[in-house]
C-alpha cells in the first residue's frame, strides 16, 4: 500500500506539467507587481501634493491710474481741430529770442505781465477744452474778470491749468481722463485783445514750465 502511494505522481507536479501553468504564474505575478506600483504611486502623490490653502482674492488697482503715469501730454483741444489752432501768446523764457519774448508779454492798463503758459485760439471761435492728461480736479476758480480757471493734478506729480473758460463740466475732486471735455473757451476782461481763447499752464515740481516742451505735437502759429 505504501509503495502504491509513492508511485502516484503528486498533484502539484501534474499542475506544473500543464502547458499553461507557468505563463499563468508569470501573468499573475505581473498583475500583482503592477497593483503594488500603482498603490505606491497613489500614496506618494497624496503625500507630496498637499492641499493648497485658500488665498484671498485681491482686486487689481485702477487701470486708469497706471496708464496715466505713462501718458504723453497732449494739447487741451480735440486733435481734429489741430489745423485751426494758433498760439496767441507764448510761454515767457528769458533766454528766448526777442520775438518770442515779445509774444509772451500781456498788457493790461499799460502794465506788462509775462505769460506763464500759452494762449490758444481758433480764429476767434469757441472750442472744446479737454484734459491734456488724466488726473483729478484740484480746484475750480470762478472769476469773470480774469477768466475762470480749472486746475488738474496728475499721477506723475504735474499740474495743468486751463484759464479763460466757461460752461465748466467738472468740479473739485472729480477724476478726469485724458481727452475728456472739461469746459469751453471764452474771452475775459483782463486780456480782451486775445478774444476767445484758452490759456494753458503746466507746473512741474511747483514751477511753471513751457507746455510746448512737453507736448506730443506743436500746433501751427
Amino acid at each position: 500500500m505504501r509503495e502504491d502511494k509513492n508511485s502516484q505522481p503528486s498533484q502539484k507536479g501534474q499542475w506544473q506539467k500543464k502547458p499553461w501553468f507557468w505563463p499563468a504564474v508569470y501573468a499573475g505575478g505581473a498583475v500583482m507587481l503592477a497593483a503594488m506600483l500603482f498603490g505606491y504611486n497613489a500614496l506618494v502623490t497624496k503625500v507630496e501634493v498637499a492641499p493648497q490653502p485658500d488665498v484671498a482674492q485681491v482686486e487689481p488697482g485702477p487701470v486708469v491710474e497706471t496708464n496715466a503715469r505713462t501718458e504723453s501730454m497732449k494739447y487741451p483741444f480735440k486733435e481734429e481741430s489741430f489745423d485751426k489752432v494758433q498760439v496767441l501768446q507764448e510761454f515767457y523764457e528769458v533766454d528766448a529770442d526777442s520775438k518770442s519774448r515779445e509774444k509772451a508779454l500781456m498788457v493790461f492798463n499799460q502794465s506788462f505781465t509775462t505769460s506763464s503758459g500759452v494762449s490758444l485760439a481758433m480764429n476767434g471761435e469757441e472750442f472744446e477744452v479737454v484734459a491734456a492728461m488724466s488726473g483729478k480736479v484740484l480746484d475750480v476758480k470762478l472769476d469773470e474778470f480774469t477768466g475762470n480757471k480749472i486746475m488738474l493734478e496728475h499721477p506723475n506729480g504735474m499740474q495743468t491749468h486751463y484759464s479763460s473758460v466757461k460752461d465748466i463740466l467738472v468740479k473739485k475732486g472729480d477724476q478726469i481722463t485724458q481727452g475728456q471735455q472739461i469746459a469751453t473757451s471764452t474771452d475775459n476782461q483782463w486780456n480782451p485783445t486775445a478774444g476767445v481763447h484758452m490759456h494753458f499752464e503746466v507746473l512741474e515740481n511747483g514751477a511753471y514750465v513751457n507746455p510746448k516742451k512737453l507736448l506730443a505735437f506743436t500746433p501751427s502759429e
Side-chain angles (χ1 to χ4, degrees):
M1 294 293 294
R2 185 174 301 172
E3 292 180 356
D4 293 338
K5 289 182 178 180
N6 292 337
S7 62
Q8 294 179 356
S10 65
Q11 189 172 1
K12 179 179 179 180
Q14 291 178 356
W15 285 111
Q16 292 177 350
K17 293 180 180 180
K18 298 292 184 178
W20 47 263
F21 177 78
W22 291 111
V25 172
Y26 295 146
V31 171
M32 292 179 63
L33 180 60
M36 291 174 63
L37 291 174
F38 178 79
Y40 175 77
N41 289 335
L43 179 61
V44 170
T45 301
K46 290 181 180 180
V47 172
E48 291 181 350
V49 182
Q52 298 296 320
D54 293 334
V55 179
Q57 298 295 323
V58 179
E59 293 294 332
V63 176
V64 173
E65 176 74 9
T66 302
N67 292 341
R69 291 183 182 275
T70 59
E71 283 180 346
S72 296
M73 181 178 291
K74 297 182 179 180
Y75 265 111
F77 55 82
K78 297 292 185 180
E79 291 191 19
E80 54 265 29
S81 302
F82 175 78
D83 294 334
K84 298 180 180 180
V85 174
Q86 301 114 10
V87 178
L88 299 181
Q89 289 170 318
E90 296 279 2
F91 176 85
Y92 186 85
E93 293 183 295
V94 177
D95 56 351
D97 57 61
S98 58
K99 182 179 179 181
S100 296
R101 291 200 306 271
E102 182 180 353
K103 198 173 182 179
L105 294 176
M106 296 181 289
V107 183
F108 179 74
N109 285 344
Q110 298 181 345
S111 298
F112 290 91
T113 304
T114 56
S115 173
S116 55
V118 291
S119 295
L120 307 175
M122 294 189 186
N123 299 319
E125 300 175 357
E126 297 180 356
F127 60 89
E128 294 181 4
V129 176
V130 302
M133 291 192 298
S134 301
K136 181 180 179 181
V137 179
L138 183 63
D139 201 1
V140 176
K141 294 184 177 180
L142 303 179
D143 190 326
E144 293 183 1
F145 179 71
T146 60
N148 301 326
K149 176 185 286 190
I150 301 172
M151 295 178 284
L152 303 183
E153 58 181 355
H154 308 284
N156 60 4
M158 300 177 68
Q159 291 185 19
T160 53
H161 296 176
Y162 312 76
S163 303
S164 189
V165 295
K166 67 176 184 178
D167 299 334
I168 297 174
L169 302 175
V170 297
K171 64 183 183 300
K172 183 177 180 179
D174 285 352
Q175 292 291 337
I176 306 300
T177 58
Q178 186 178 51
Q180 177 180 338
Q181 182 180 0
I182 57 176
T184 302
S185 64
T186 188
D187 54 4
N188 61 70
Q189 300 176 33
W190 187 82
N191 191 11
T193 58
V196 176
H197 72 287
M198 191 275 300
H199 190 68
F200 180 57
E201 299 170 326
V202 178
L203 286 83
E204 189 172 19
N205 298 322
Y208 289 98
V209 296
N210 190 345
K212 293 176 68 175
K213 292 184 176 181
L214 303 172
L215 298 172
F217 54 89
T218 302
S220 58
E221 301 188 13

